[in-house]
Amino acid sequence: MIETFSDKKVQALANKQAKDKVRLRHSTTGELLHMSGEGLTKSSTYAWLGFRHQAEELQRRAKRQGKGWPFQPIHRDLIEDCLQANQPDLDADNTPSLS
C-alpha cells in the first residue's frame, strides 16, 4: 500500500519505523505467514509484515488457542535472501545457521 504524507515529519517517522518491521517465516517449510494471518505464502508480496511486538502478540494468541507456533521473525531486509537461497533455518540473531 502506498502512503502519501503532507507533513514531512510524519513521513520521516514512518520511514524510520518501517525499517524495523519483520516477516514471519515457518521454521520447517521456509514459507511466510500470509498477510491475512491464515495460511502460508512463498512470496513476500502477500506475506504478513509487522513489528516484533505485533508478531509476539500473534504468538500469544496462537498459544492461548492451543495452536502451535512454528514461525520465526525475520527482518524484512533479510527475507528475500532466505527465500532465494531456500535456507532451512536462521539462528536467533537472524543469521543463517551453520548446522
Side-chain angles (χ1 to χ4, degrees):
M1 170 195 266
I2 297 175
E3 296 183 48
T4 58
F5 300 93
S6 58
D7 184 356
K8 295 292 183 187
K9 289 182 182 180
V10 173
Q11 182 177 8
L13 178 62
N15 290 341
K16 182 177 186 285
Q17 291 174 334
K19 73 176 179 57
D20 295 327
K21 289 189 175 182
V22 296
R23 296 198 187 273
L24 293 172
R25 183 172 168 267
H26 194 284
S27 58
T28 306
T29 66
E31 294 176 302
L32 303 170
L33 180 67
H34 190 270
M35 68 171 62
S36 68
E38 299 287 328
L40 301 171
T41 181
K42 294 181 187 214
S43 168
S44 62
T45 305
Y46 296 108
W48 182 89
L49 178 66
F51 295 103
R52 277 194 187 271
H53 71 274
Q54 293 172 313
E56 291 166 0
E57 179 59 27
L58 289 175
Q59 181 179 12
R60 282 192 290 274
R61 289 181 185 182
K63 287 185 177 181
R64 276 195 303 260
Q65 295 173 359
K67 298 178 181 176
W69 186 253
F71 298 101
Q72 296 177 318
I74 307 295
H75 192 274
R76 68 185 301 179
D77 292 341
L78 301 175
I79 201 67
E80 290 301 324
D81 295 335
C82 293
L83 291 174
Q84 288 174 0
N86 198 17
Q87 298 172 357
D89 276 335
L90 296 180
D91 292 329
D93 62 347
N94 290 340
T95 59
S97 62
L98 300 175
S99 53

